[in-house]
Amino acid sequence: MSAPASGGVPILRLGDVLVTGLLNELDDTTAVAFTEELTSRISSDGARGVLIDISRLEIVDSFVARTLMELTTMARLLGARVIVAGMRPPVAITLVELGIQLTGVETALNAEQAMAAMGWHQSLQPAGGGPG
Amino acid sequence: MRIEEDLLTVRHAVRAATLRAGFSIVDQTRVVTAASELARNAYIHGGGGTVTIDRLTLGGSAGLRLTVKDEGPGIVDTDAALADGFTTGAGLGHGLGGARRLMNDFELHTVPGQGTTVIATRWAGR
């Protein structure tokens, strides 16, 4: 399931969903490499969905926001749906104050809910349940 | 700031300063995000520059003042530059106006041909 790194950001494949997570230190060079790698992987893997986990991002400035919006648009052009998951609450507050709405970007509270939205479901837990 | 990696150095230094000043996690995020926008502006539009972080205290509350200075071409129309949606670079056009909203005090000094200085302050819990 593992894949070549793109600017240090690994892209995994689960069925027809690509799973990736942005690291804390997203700089311009990494963002460009990541965008190129992700779009080529969507095509070569025939991905219908992309999950981008951003729970490790400590800030989302206008540059990172623009990267996420462009990725979403590019993926849509290739026929894939992007869900950005796991934004930290302080990051959400700051984004709103910055005046950025991440227009067109679908979001989810966490990676698990994003995967469920894309049709992946947790298998039933044994009697008694598990810790989620 | 002369190379792109310096933007990360700025963020680290500002984050460390917000921690030392005892800022809440939301205030930390606001100040680091504002610093990132201002440092990027100075790097892209000003051709590099300097960032100074000053620790302030007033009546027992802690503050941080960021001074971001470049010697670039300056900003011709500051009102337009502070308006959302205005960009001459690789951003969304929320950088300068957004940074102003994230901070309590914000001063923009620019001289065409000589450079731009932004002085922005945030107080803990205000």
Side-chain angles (χ1 to χ4, degrees):
Chain A
M1 285 200 303
S2 66
S6 51
V9 184
I11 301 171
L12 314 178
R13 185 164 69 84
L14 290 176
D16 55 8
V17 176
L18 295 176
V19 180
T20 186
L22 294 181
L23 304 177
N24 181 21
E25 309 284 331
L26 186 71
D27 59 35
D28 301 32
T29 310
T30 307
V32 170
F34 176 68
T35 301
E36 290 176 1
E37 174 73 12
L38 188 60
T39 47
S40 99
R41 283 287 301 277
I42 288 170
S43 172
S44 64
D45 290 24
R48 291 196 303 122
V50 179
L51 162 60
I52 304 177
D53 183 282
I54 60 164
S55 60
R56 292 180 69 179
L57 281 186
E58 292 182 347
I59 68 160
V60 173
D61 60 12
S62 56
F63 170 75
V64 176
R66 190 183 70 125
T67 302
L68 289 173
M69 287 192 272
E70 286 181 353
L71 274 173
T72 299
T73 304
M74 290 176 200
R76 188 184 299 127
L77 291 172
L78 297 172
R81 171 187 180 188
V82 171
I83 301 183
V84 172
M87 183 182 292
R88 298 181 183 196
V91 171
I93 292 169
T94 301
L95 262 185
V96 170
E97 290 177 1
L98 263 180
I100 294 172
Q101 298 167 2
L102 285 185
T103 310
V105 179
E106 190 176 356
T107 53
L109 183 61
N110 54 40
E112 193 176 8
Q113 292 190 7
M115 290 305 281
M118 286 194 276
W120 281 70
H121 295 287
Q122 245 185 329
S123 57
L124 291 173
Q125 296 291 327
Chain B
M1 295 177 294
R2 282 177 295 106
I3 57 173
E4 198 190 305
E5 283 76 47
D6 292 340
L7 298 179
L8 295 180
T9 308
V10 168
R11 280 195 222 163
H12 288 164
V14 172
R15 171 76 69 182
T18 60
L19 283 168
R20 279 196 302 273
F23 277 29
S24 70
I25 182 70
V26 177
D27 278 343
Q28 289 173 37
T29 307
R30 286 183 176 121
V31 175
V32 177
T33 305
S36 182
E37 299 289 355
L38 297 175
R40 175 174 298 280
N41 276 347
Y43 175 70
I44 292 177
H45 301 294
T50 58
V51 178
T52 309
I53 307 166
D54 292 305
R55 170 84 177 268
L56 312 174
T57 47
L58 182 69
S61 68
L64 280 181
R65 183 173 62 203
L66 306 175
T67 305
V68 183
K69 189 177 174 63
D70 70 60
E71 295 179 353
I75 301 170
V76 176
D77 187 344
T78 53
D79 288 341
L82 282 163
D84 283 345
F86 179 88
T87 178
T88 57
L92 278 168
H94 293 81
L96 212 48
R100 180 168 67 170
R101 282 195 293 275
L102 292 174
M103 304 295 279
N104 294 127
D105 303 304
F106 190 93
E107 293 174 37
L108 173 64
H109 306 284
T110 186
V111 180
Q114 290 181 38
T116 301
T117 301
V118 174
I119 305 169
T121 305
R122 177 103 207 166
W123 296 95
R126 243 190 241 181

